[in-house]
Structure formats: structure tokens, C-alpha cells
Amino acid sequence: MADTLFYSPAIGQNSLLPEKESQHCVKVLRMREGDKLTVTDGKGFFYECILVQAHPKQCMVSIQNSIAKRKGWDYDLRVAFAPAKQTDRNEWFVEKAVEVGIDTVIPILCHYSERKEIKTERLEKIAVSAMKQSQQAFLPEIEKLKGFKDIISRPFNGKKCIAHCHDLPKVPLAQHYKKGENLLILIGPEGDFSQEEVEEAIAAGFEPVTLSESRLRTETACLVAVQTIHVINSL
Amino acid sequence: MADTLFYSPAIGQNSLLPEKESQHCVKVLRMREGDKLTVTDGKGFFYECILVQAHPKQCMVSIQNSIAKRKGWDYDLRVAFAPAKQTDRNEWFVEKAVEVGIDTVIPILCHYSERKEIKTERLEKIAVSAMKQSQQAFLPEIEKLKGFKDIISRPFNGKKCIAHCHDLPKVPLAQHYKKGENLLILIGPEGDFSQEEVEEAIAAGFEPVTLSESRLRTETACLVAVQTIHVINSL
């Protein structure tokens, strides 16, 4: 595979690259007609292509070969988190989660949320960039901001956990989770979930869990949860 | 324990807080004489104190009680890594590694290192801040930049691994590492270790390992290694 990966969600149907990718191809990498490039659709395929028209706004490619790339994990891994006040911390989590492997990221609004809104488009751009950089063919879904109650009442075919810091009974995630299970985990804001939120989640079937012996920042907790699941599945 | 933790490496012998901590105490938190505060020495102890002199440059405290805080892990975990070109990526790794738990961080200079120097003092400040934020009593050591050969020839009482991306035989870290073992792991620069470096490390007793199925950035690989070890030990 060529070292630089391009992203075009419609590459299976449309041989024109999006504007941003075309610009990167022609202006930044100075690729020329006849050059080879690899494009992913973010849905599990790599397309080996030849550049047939090096237009800075709309490159045209010819597909030579398509390769199904299996996802590096065979469970459904979703993190619903209350975005941190500092934007870069949320962006950091998305970048790292995509590198390490995640299916869905769901920003949620909680009682103690300091950040009440978030630019999902910006997180999507970061996810695309991290997917390309880590040479993957799956673009995780970044949902729009959801309410806490919306998330806990949503059906989910797998284990549901809530990580919190209250002095209530809870088990380490690594001991609760079993290899191969799908997981939806909720991570609270800087000020934690309210005790009422924890109780509502438990009533909705979420298991209260801990992630570490020390107090983790929101974005650290999110990534620790993701990596914990991958490690258990790799054993 | 009070919510804000202070750091004074000599608190066991000296009841004056360092200038930066004194300023934070008096100017930022506006603490007054008679207020309670918790100070750590970064060597495994919390000291419950009373503020007896609220001087903005040199607070004096009276120690009421000292509490030995055990480290959250009982193995020696060291990461030697080639710092990334972008400073914030290195700082990010140090912050996260301290939150999650690490003993020693060793910046190393490799054949393909894009960054040839690094301000250790800055990384130390970040480590202190992360230790306080995550309410821990252990400050990991941040070594000065070392040469690759210095690191591989150094004696280490535990497992030694090198993570690289070359197409050479290697095993997943999670399968190679055994619960309870000390670990020194080497993580290369953006351009990876040179093949010669990999061979030298193997000759010096390092096991070649992989950390993920996807291509990780240096700082992501560092944190993934740390968290992988903690997960295995928590099972």
C-alpha cells in the first residue's frame, strides 16, 4: 500500500476524489497523472488506484483493485463521554481512539457537564486524519451530542457500563468485561456523573465500573477503557 | 484528602512549601492560615497539614499526619521513547503515563529521530501537575535524553522489549509479557528504529514486539504499552 492513504467515502461509486483530498494529492504531495495511490472508503475497503486527472480540486482516479480490510477487532466498542471543557482534550481522545480502534464515539450532555456543545464536524475531521495516518479502512462514527437519558434508554446488544468516582460499589472494568463482548461505556465530565445519573444508569442496566486506582481525566478514562477492552481481547 | 494536592519533595524534612506551590496556595486558591491542605513528597507519602503562614512565596505548614500511599502497581515499568517532532505530543504522553501509572520515562536519541533534544524540565513540570491532578503520591522519574546504545547496554532486572514496524518476526506485547514482570520497552521515532537498531537491541536481549494491528504514532504506542501492562496485571 502506498504510504499516504486518501479518503473518499464514495470511491466505490465515484472515481472523483473530494476537494480536500484532491488538493492534498496535487498541491501538497505533487502527485502526477499515472502515479499510484490508495484510497479508502472508511467502510472497510482499500482501493488501489491510478491518478488519471491531477486536478487540484477534483482528482479523477482509475480503480485497479479493491482490497477488503478486516477491522482489527470483532466486537462493537462504543464510548459515550461528556466532552471536557478544553477542546483539545476531546480532539486528542478522538485521535487516539481511532488509532487504537473504536466503533462509535458519542458525546453526551450530563448534569455536571462544563461543555454544553461540541463541533462534531471538527471531531470527524480528526477521525479521518487519524484513520489515514494509522492506515486503517474503518472510519468510526462520531455521533452528535446526545442527552444522558437518551443514551441510557437506548437499546444496546452487549455489556453496558458506567465509570464513575462516587464511593459506591463497583468492579474493575478489566474484571467485569469478557472477551468478545460488545461494550458501551459511559464516561462522565470533570465533575463526574451526578449520583442520580449513576443510579438511573444502573436502573437501565449499566454496571458501575472503575478504570484505574488513580483519578483519571475524562479523556484519559475514555482511552483507558478502549485499550483495556482491546488488551483483554488480545489475550 | 483535600481536593487540591500540593507537591513539596522535601516536606518530610522542611515545612516550607516551594515558591510555585506557595503562590498557588495563597494567590490562586486563596487559602488562609488555619486551612487544611495535603502535600505529597512524590516518594510515596501524603502529609496532612495545617497552613500556619500564608506567605505567597513561602508558605509554612504544620504536619498533622503522614500517610504511606502504596503505588498502584508492584512492578517497575519504564518506557524509553524517541520524542516526537511536535513537543505537545511528548508532553501529552508524559501527562497520560503519569495518570495511568509509570515509573520511569527515558527520552532516547535514535538514528531516525527528528527531534534531537528535549526540555526535560518541562516534562517534569507536566509530570508533577499530572501526579497532583490524579491524586497520586509517586512522581515518576524523567531521565535526560540518552543515546540508543546507552539504553540497550544498561542492565535491567526484568523483561526488555523493542516495539518496531519492520517486517521481521515479533510477538504481541500482551502475549509476551507475564503478570508481575518488570518491563523496559523501547518505542521508536516517527520514522521507526533503523533495522540495525532493532538487530542491536535483539542482540542485547530485547524481544521484538507489536502493540497493535494498526500503525500507531510514537506517543500513542508509548501509552498503549503502559496501559497493556496495567491491564494484564489487573486480571
Side-chain angles (χ1 to χ4, degrees), chain A residues 146-157:
Chain A
K146 296 288 187 312
F148 179 80
K149 284 184 202 297
D150 294 343
I151 286 301
I152 61 168
S153 58
R154 179 192 281 193
F156 179 71
N157 178 23

Side-chain angles (χ1 to χ4, degrees), chain B residues 56-155:
Chain B
K57 291 197 170 176
Q58 203 178 53
C59 282
M60 187 186 286
V61 299
S62 154
I63 298 170
Q64 306 293 300
N65 196 13
S66 74
I67 304 161
K69 170 83 161 56
R70 78 174 185 84
K71 203 175 67 164
W73 61 101
D74 55 5
Y75 34 95
D76 183 353
L77 183 48
R78 306 182 186 195
V79 173
F81 79 112
K85 203 171 167 185
Q86 288 175 272
T87 317
D88 60 348
R89 295 191 174 274
N90 304 317
E91 296 179 356
W92 170 84
F93 162 57
V94 168
E95 178 182 295
K96 297 313 171 204
V98 174
E99 281 185 68
V100 167
I102 194 165
D103 290 283
T104 310
V105 172
I106 313 161
I108 52 173
L109 190 62
C110 301
H111 185 75
Y112 292 122
S113 285
E114 291 195 58
R115 169 171 291 283
K116 310 277 187 203
E117 51 188 21
I118 187 158
K119 286 184 181 142
T120 316
E121 303 71 29
R122 170 87 186 142
L123 295 183
E124 276 165 359
K125 275 187 196 166
I126 285 166
V128 167
S129 167
M131 173 189 65
K132 290 161 63 178
Q133 204 275 335
S134 58
Q135 308 257 309
Q136 294 186 79
F138 281 93
L139 183 67
E141 184 180 3
I142 314 282
E143 293 194 19
K144 301 278 178 209
L145 189 73
K146 298 286 188 310
F148 179 80
K149 285 185 201 294
D150 295 341
I151 287 300
I152 62 166
S153 59
R154 181 192 283 196

Side-chain angles (χ1 to χ4, degrees), chain A residues 3 69-73 89 92 95-96 98-101 129 132-136 172 174-175 211-221 223-225 227-229 231-232 234-235, chain B residues 3 69-73 89 92 95-96 98-101 129 132-136 172 174-175 211-221 223-225 227-229 231-232 234-235:
Chain A
D3 216 27
K69 170 83 160 58
R70 78 174 183 84
K71 203 175 65 165
W73 60 101
R89 294 191 174 275
W92 169 84
E95 177 182 297
K96 297 311 169 204
V98 173
E99 280 184 69
V100 167
S129 166
K132 289 162 63 177
Q133 202 276 334
S134 57
Q135 308 258 309
Q136 295 186 80
Q175 286 168 24
L211 297 168
S212 170
E213 293 201 20
S214 63
R215 192 175 68 173
L216 303 180
R217 285 181 180 275
T218 295
E219 78 279 8
T220 316
L223 190 68
V224 160
Q227 180 59 12
T228 297
I229 299 312
V231 173
I232 292 171
S234 75
L235 293 174
Chain B
D3 215 27
K69 170 83 161 56
R70 78 174 185 84
K71 203 175 67 164
W73 61 101
R89 295 191 174 274
W92 170 84
E95 178 182 295
K96 297 313 171 204
V98 174
E99 281 185 68
V100 167
S129 167
K132 290 161 63 178
Q133 204 275 335
S134 58
Q135 308 257 309
Q136 294 186 79
Q175 285 167 26
L211 297 168
S212 169
E213 293 203 17
S214 63
R215 191 175 69 171
L216 304 180
R217 285 181 181 274
T218 295
E219 77 280 7
T220 318
L223 191 67
V224 159
Q227 180 58 13
T228 297
I229 298 312
V231 173
I232 292 172
S234 75
L235 294 174

Side-chain angles (χ1 to χ4, degrees), chain B residues 6-14 18 21 39-43 47 139:
Chain B
F6 293 85
Y7 171 57
S8 177
I11 184 73
Q13 295 81 47
N14 182 343
E21 299 292 292
V39 182
T40 180
D41 59 0
K43 300 177 189 82
Y47 293 83
L139 183 67

